[in-house]
Amino acid sequence: MDTVSPPARVAFLGLGVMGAAMAANIAKAGFALVVHNRSRGKAEALEAAGATWAATPAEAARGAAVVGLCLPDTPDVEAVLFGPDGVAEGVAPGTVVIDFSTIAAAPAAAFAKRLLEERGAHLLDSPVSGGPAGAQAGTLTCMIGGDADAFARARPFFEAVGKTFTHLGPPGAGQVCKSANQLMVAATMLAVSEALALGRKAGLDPMAMRQALLGGSAKSFVMENHAKRIIEGTLQPGFRAELMRKDTRLSLAAMRDHGVFAPSTALAAQMMEALVNSGRGGMDSAALGLLVAELSGLEG
């Protein structure tokens, strides 16, 4: 089949912080964009820019060569795909459906199998990394599982939202890679939080300490970005702690399913549970630094 390029009709479902930014970049790339969200208010800016509103996922999928999803969790994806008036009711054979959500790998693979068998459409799991800033800039990293030919056909759609694309294998493979990504981010954030607490208790200036660490082998995205947020207390999301808790739960389940010895995953997941249980679930996940400081006897 031919590559799906602008001005082809495409759809995007799920207009949260990430999804709205991704959809805006798809429209800017020249695609004829149809959007749907549970609440229409989040689509107002996109509609004003020329996108077409669809009342249901099925309506959005009708006539769309590619359908993108960006939803909170596994049950949300299942409902949008296969629930009443779901994508499966409107999607045509040969359509490429791309799920940018972070969900469990086994259901992702099962959804792909079901959509192919029932509708002849290909579902790619493509969780992303890069956060809201990457979504706005169109520089996301996409970790892709599913049919390689479907990925090649939808490549221009991917290029509207990201800059790094890795096809990792069959359906579910992208979600396994994302579980590894989130584990590494959460575990690094815990280590950074402890390091900053140590510096404060020893009387070091936290920002000077961060600058020193950025100059050596401890440099990381978390040290560069999250540490700054922890120090400055700029913890509005961003990526909410309750979503990172969900992701570390998925990481823990993936480790269990594959029989991996994973103490770092277990500890990071428990710390995210503690962070949300401390009442900070609506804050950015970098609020883990506040919890570690609090447990270390520090104020502020």
Side-chain angles (χ1 to χ4, degrees), residues 188 191-200 204-224 227-228 231:
T188 304
V192 167
S193 297
E194 292 177 11
L196 293 175
L198 171 63
R200 287 183 61 193
L204 278 62
D205 175 78
M207 198 61 82
M209 181 180 182
R210 169 183 169 273
Q211 196 61 39
L213 293 171
L214 284 173
S217 57
K219 182 178 180 178
S220 67
F221 179 89
V222 173
M223 179 59 74
E224 188 168 351
K228 188 171 186 289
I231 294 165

Side-chain angles (χ1 to χ4, degrees), residues 107-222:
F111 296 160
K113 183 174 184 291
R114 180 178 173 184
L115 196 65
L116 184 61
E117 291 176 348
E118 294 182 3
R119 302 297 298 181
H122 293 284
L123 176 62
L124 303 176
D125 51 292
S126 178
V128 297
S129 181
Q136 291 168 9
T139 58
L140 292 169
T141 292
C142 298
M143 310 169 204
I144 303 156
D147 184 79
D149 290 338
F151 165 53
R153 183 167 179 253
R155 181 83 185 214
F157 189 92
F158 279 102
E159 289 173 346
V161 302
K163 72 172 184 178
T164 303
F165 318 100
T166 306
H167 182 257
L168 292 150
Q175 297 296 349
V176 172
C177 188
K178 182 61 185 292
S179 283
N181 182 87
Q182 296 303 80
L183 153 67
M184 294 171 71
V185 171
T188 304
M189 192 154 19
L190 177 57
V192 167
S193 297
E194 292 177 11
L196 293 175
L198 171 63
R200 287 183 61 193
K201 296 210 79 171
L204 278 62
D205 175 78
M207 198 61 82
M209 181 180 182
R210 169 183 169 273
Q211 196 61 39
L213 293 171
L214 284 173
S217 57
K219 182 178 180 178
S220 67
F221 179 89
V222 173

